[in-house]
Amino acid sequence: MQFLARQDFPKLLESLIIAGYQCIAPQIREGAIVYDKLQSVTQLPQGYRDNQRPAHYQLEKNEDVLYFGWAVGVQALKPLTFAPRESLWTAKRDANGKLTFIETHPEIPPTAVIGVRACDLAALHLQDQHFAYNSYSDTYYNARRRQLFLISVDCAFPASTCFCASTGDGPSAQTGFDIALTEFPEGFLVRSKSSRAEAILATLPLTEVSETQQQAALAQNQQAIEKQTRQLPSRNLKAAFFANLEHERWQDIATRCLACGNCTSVCPTCFCHSESAEPTLDGSSNTQYRQWDSCFTLGHSYMHSFVLRDNILLRYRQWLTHKLGSWHDQYGRSGCVGCGRCLTWCPVGIDITVEAQAICGESL
Amino acid sequence: MTQMTVASARARHNAYLPVEAEIVEFVQESQTIFTLGLRLTDPALHAAYHYAPGQFNMLYLHGVGEVAISIVSDPEHEDLLTHTINRVGRVTRGFAQLQVGQRIGVRGPFGRGWPLREAEGQDVIILSGGLGCAPVISVINYIMRRRERFGHLTIVQKVKHVDEFIWPERYEKFKQVPDTTVLVASTEGSVNWRWDVSPRIKILEEVQVRSERTVAMMCGPEGMMQSATQYLTSLGMQESSVYLSLERNMQCAVGHCGHCQFGGQFICKDGPVFAYSEIKHLLGTRGI
């Protein structure tokens, strides 16, 4: 572990750019923190806190020097690896009716992402399990994923919606990063996990870390855990959910849920997508696209002549029982990393931790 | 090519990308049901294309889209890849209008097929409802070609309307095969209907389980398969010896797109054929 003084932080950005990375980092757009291309550290959201609660998100200016003094932005890493919309291939038909299929592959430059949260690294690992480490490895996902260089920053100011401590995914990054930072007003504690990270760090004026600084990092992590007031039961909820498919709470949720799909759009682990054919007007060429889909849409469960989940109760139940239940069968753990985005961005403020407790509580 | 190299070749290959196939045969089976006989236009790909009964392909109609269709041909005895399709949706309506010589896209095969190895040496009950007979006809043909490897064969086909019963001449032939029972029934009869007329799946009551060593394979509406399984297990069959082919919305066919999830199972990749014991906890639950 080493120390990078605050005034030297821009050198990290310079080193990454010199090494050939495009840099993506948190910035403020339309009143919210989003990841976007970064040219200068002045674009970082310095001195901001995010006030989040169910159905509420507001940035508040705080006069401190911290770049990463907020919890989580609107999106995690998901759009960088699993594109919201992308073409898969193009089919061309010649005058004789012969079809030729041409793969369309994303051309992504090496990309360094600065300011990744522990919960988002955990979510990335779940998406890796789904798309990459599977019997069919997704070449589109892999083309984006392998270009990422990840620089995490431990979360010191969880929002009221955060519950990563209860899912075991935060607030400090333990794995999945190239470089991990812990931010203090005077600078950053720096840890690294990869040889390419070492090459970047070798260019920086790093100094030894004092015992006091190490203690401060531990204390900051402990405080971030204690600030979290929400939690999910840490055990496997699969049996409890599937024993309660007829619980009356589902109907109660269905009267509130708008089936808008905001939760699935901001969820860093939701992987559903649909394919569509988009032919040119003369029919000679067609491009096959995939784009994010949501289990809250009617089309998601459409089968030739009927819709399987034709009401909101069944669609919400599908989402929650998959996320917290059957995900265990698929990938050995829950599909929730405790980022809290589905609470914040739900227009009616449905709280996954409250609903899980209401449905499973008596079965635990 | 061995299984291993096929698997590793597929791991490198982009499973989303179709290859071109030519329609070599087009058979109109009924007013709405038709069969496409396909040959991959790249001879090397056609020769290397291996599949098992019960697996499916994603068929692409140019400019319209893809649809999951089970393969009904015999992998060892037929050169063409055949798919029997009911004209029910946007893509299948388009396929219904194609002609011999036209080109489509194919990617596959996908999924886990029927347990034919396990069934060798055992009695076999094959049960289907409606166009469920398309996926199981591959098994029936497979067993008929290798009849000596299997015990008593019972074929049950239930349709609502006589129009849904395709291949009557094949079922007449199956009836003539020794050690084979064929039971066909329609909910509604008609003038020339030579088989049973019975409601629901009453015809099941004629099925006999003759041995503990019996495997059942079925395809059709889930309610029908569930009742049939309960009946067969009441006759002494093991739940783990009853296999069902399930169906859901499928788009990617490789377990990525999420549409076909059945609890924790991806039907496209973990199925479409499941042992009853693998899915019974959720089968018949609304919205699963």
Side-chain angles (χ1 to χ4, degrees):
Chain A
M1 198 184 289
Q2 292 167 294
F3 182 75
L4 177 68
R6 179 164 296 278
Q7 69 269 19
D8 293 325
F9 186 71
K11 290 179 179 153
L12 171 60
L13 184 64
E14 285 163 26
S15 289
L16 290 165
I17 292 169
I18 289 166
Y21 291 100
Q22 69 161 343
C23 292
I24 300 230
Q27 289 156 64
I28 297 172
R29 293 273 186 285
E30 297 175 40
I33 289 178
V34 299
Y35 283 115
D36 205 346
K37 285 177 191 157
L38 187 84
Q39 318 298 335
S40 151
V41 293
T42 58
Q43 294 169 277
L44 291 168
Q46 189 170 27
Y48 277 90
R49 297 284 182 277
D50 49 359
N51 182 354
Q52 301 193 46
R53 55 181 190 270
H56 180 88
Y57 177 99
Q58 191 167 29
L59 286 179
E60 289 166 1
K61 188 79 174 122
N62 173 306
E63 295 307 322
D64 67 26
V65 296
L66 301 178
Y67 291 127
F68 306 97
W70 39 274
V72 288
V74 183
Q75 286 285 355
L77 296 166
K78 186 167 85 170
L80 299 175
T81 47
F82 168 36
R85 175 179 159 87
E86 68 184 322
S87 62
L88 300 173
W89 42 264
T90 295
K92 292 192 185 301
R93 183 168 64 185
D94 71 12
N96 299 318
K98 182 166 179 51
L99 294 176
T100 309
F101 296 92
I102 305 146
E103 271 179 289
T104 48
H105 262 300
E107 303 265 334
I108 308 295
T111 301
V113 189
I114 303 168
V116 180
R117 295 308 190 192
C119 55
D120 296 342
L121 288 174
L124 181 67
H125 181 65
L126 289 179
Q127 289 248 311
D128 284 349
Q129 281 186 298
H130 179 72
F131 285 109
Y133 311 147
N134 214 324
S135 45
Y136 294 93
S137 194
D138 191 296
T139 51
Y140 304 91
Y141 180 91
N142 294 344
R144 297 171 190 280
R145 175 69 176 93
R146 73 167 72 96
Q147 298 296 60
L148 292 189
F149 182 99
L150 300 169
I151 301 173
S152 68
V153 181
D154 291 340
C155 193
F157 299 91
S160 86
T161 44
C162 292
F163 51 97
C164 65
S166 72
T167 64
D169 297 308
S172 295
Q174 306 300 328
T175 186
F177 53 79
D178 292 282
I179 296 172
L181 304 175
T182 308
E183 186 179 28
F184 294 107
E186 62 272 25
F188 297 84
L189 299 196
V190 183
R191 292 170 285 153
S192 72
K193 272 272 167 75
S194 65
S195 51
R196 56 183 189 169
E198 292 297 333
I200 297 291
L201 295 181
T203 65
L204 302 178
L206 298 173
T207 57
E208 293 283 305
V209 172
S210 71
E211 178 67 22
T212 318
Q213 285 171 322
Q214 289 196 34
Q215 290 302 327
L218 289 173
Q220 188 193 78
N221 182 54
Q222 190 55 37
Q223 283 164 15
I225 292 170
E226 286 162 9
K227 279 178 195 160
Q228 296 187 14
T229 53
R230 285 183 160 80
Q231 58 181 349
L232 270 183
S234 58
R235 56 186 289 185
N236 181 343
L237 296 178
K238 186 199 151 195
F241 269 114
F242 284 97
N244 285 295
L245 290 178
E246 302 304 325
H247 197 290
E248 59 191 19
R249 184 74 175 198
W250 296 115
Q251 184 56 51
D252 178 69
I253 301 169
T255 61
R256 289 175 277 140
C257 174
L258 307 175
C260 68
N262 268 16
C263 50
T264 58
S265 292
V266 296
C267 177
T269 68
C270 272
F271 52 66
C272 284
H273 57 273
S274 57
E275 286 192 31
S276 61
E278 297 193 9
T280 52
L281 276 178
D282 68 356
S284 65
S285 174
N286 170 60
T287 299
Q288 191 80 356
Y289 286 91
R290 75 170 172 195
Q291 71 178 45
W292 291 0
D293 196 2
S294 169
C295 53
F296 285 91
T297 67
L298 277 170
H300 189 278
S301 63
Y302 175 78
M303 284 170 65
H304 41 80
S305 52
F306 70 101
V307 171
L308 190 71
R309 290 183 277 276
D310 59 358
N311 62 55
I312 293 179
L313 185 157
L314 295 177
R315 300 207 285 281
Y316 188 89
R317 195 183 73 180
Q318 170 65 21
W319 181 66
L320 196 60
T321 56
H322 176 226
K323 188 68 61 187
L324 301 182
S326 45
W327 202 293
H328 285 272
D329 287 346
Q330 295 170 345
Y331 300 112
R333 57 157 292 176
S334 140
C336 177
V337 296
C339 74
R341 289 184 177 91
C342 61
L343 283 68
T344 297
W345 298 101
C346 175
V348 296
I350 295 174
D351 180 337
I352 188 175
T353 64
V354 171
E355 304 308 339
Q357 186 63 35
I359 290 159
C360 300
E362 287 173 14
S363 305
L364 297 177
Chain B
M1 211 187 273
T2 65
Q3 279 304 98
M4 202 59 180
T5 54
V6 169
S8 55
R10 183 179 295 152
R12 287 193 302 275
H13 175 247
N14 178 359
Y16 281 89
L17 188 71
V19 296
E20 188 197 41
E22 180 179 347
I23 299 171
V24 181
E25 281 177 10
F26 186 105
V27 181
Q28 195 71 42
E29 310 280 5
S30 78
Q31 267 196 329
T32 63
I33 302 167
F34 57 98
T35 298
L36 298 180
L38 305 174
R39 179 178 287 123
L40 305 184
T41 51
D42 179 334
L45 286 179
H46 190 75
Y49 187 94
H50 295 292
Y51 61 98
Q55 286 194 295
F56 67 94
N57 277 324
M58 294 301 292
L59 301 186
Y60 162 73
L61 178 64
H62 186 62
V64 181
E66 290 186 315
V67 64
I69 305 285
S70 62
I71 312 169
V72 298
S73 42
D74 187 311
E76 290 166 26
H77 290 270
E78 287 174 76
D79 179 42
L80 297 184
L81 285 169
T82 62
H83 298 81
T84 296
I85 304 171
N86 196 7
R87 196 183 68 196
V88 286
R90 202 169 55 93
V91 183
T92 52
R93 276 174 211 283
F95 276 120
Q97 292 166 27
L98 295 180
Q99 292 167 3
V100 168
Q102 288 189 288
R103 311 295 175 94
I104 67 171
V106 174
R107 59 186 178 97
F110 297 114
R112 176 175 69 168
W114 300 105
L116 291 165
R117 278 281 158 73
E118 182 196 324
E120 285 193 15
Q122 305 204 43
D123 286 354
V124 179
I125 297 169
I126 294 172
L127 192 143
S128 59
L131 194 69
C133 67
V136 299
I137 198 75
S138 60
V139 185
I140 300 173
N141 289 336
Y142 184 94
I143 292 174
M144 286 297 175
R145 280 209 170 85
R146 303 156 182 83
R147 192 66 194 84
E148 72 291 349
R149 295 193 209 164
F150 298 88
H152 187 86
L153 175 64
T154 308
I155 299 168
V156 187
Q157 164 73 19
K158 177 70 181 67
V159 293
K160 274 190 188 148
H161 309 284
V162 297
D163 285 351
E164 289 177 6
F165 185 59
I166 57 174
W167 304 319
E169 70 294 345
R170 292 194 202 183
Y171 282 76
E172 291 289 353
K173 275 190 197 156
F174 297 154
K175 257 176 95 172
Q176 312 306 320
V177 177
D179 209 15
T180 302
T181 307
V182 178
L183 302 167
V184 177
S186 172
T187 309
E188 295 173 20
S190 95
V191 187
N192 293 321
W193 182 248
R194 301 165 56 188
W195 306 83
D196 277 5
V197 175
S198 79
R200 300 176 63 85
I201 50 168
K202 197 169 186 317
I203 194 168
L204 252 185
E205 291 166 14
E206 294 177 40
V207 174
Q208 292 176 12
V209 175
R210 298 158 181 242
S211 155
E212 283 180 1
R213 290 176 48 72
T214 301
V215 173
M217 304 182 214
M218 54 181 81
C219 191
E222 282 172 27
M224 180 212 81
M225 293 196 287
Q226 201 170 18
S227 321
T229 304
Q230 280 156 8
Y231 181 71
L232 291 174
T233 51
S234 77
L235 297 182
M237 276 199 69
Q238 299 294 314
E239 288 182 348
S240 55
S241 297
V242 177
Y243 291 85
L244 295 73
S245 182
L246 298 187
E247 191 183 5
R248 286 289 180 278
N249 183 335
M250 287 187 197
Q251 302 197 13
C252 73
V254 291
H256 290 164
C257 81
H259 291 88
C260 71
Q261 291 177 87
F262 183 90
Q265 311 266 20
F266 293 95
I267 288 179
C268 67
K269 169 168 81 85
D270 303 324
V273 175
F274 293 97
Y276 180 69
S277 49
E278 295 175 301
I279 51 170
K280 68 170 182 179
H281 57 294
L282 289 176
L283 192 68
T285 309
R286 203 162 81 91
I288 295 291

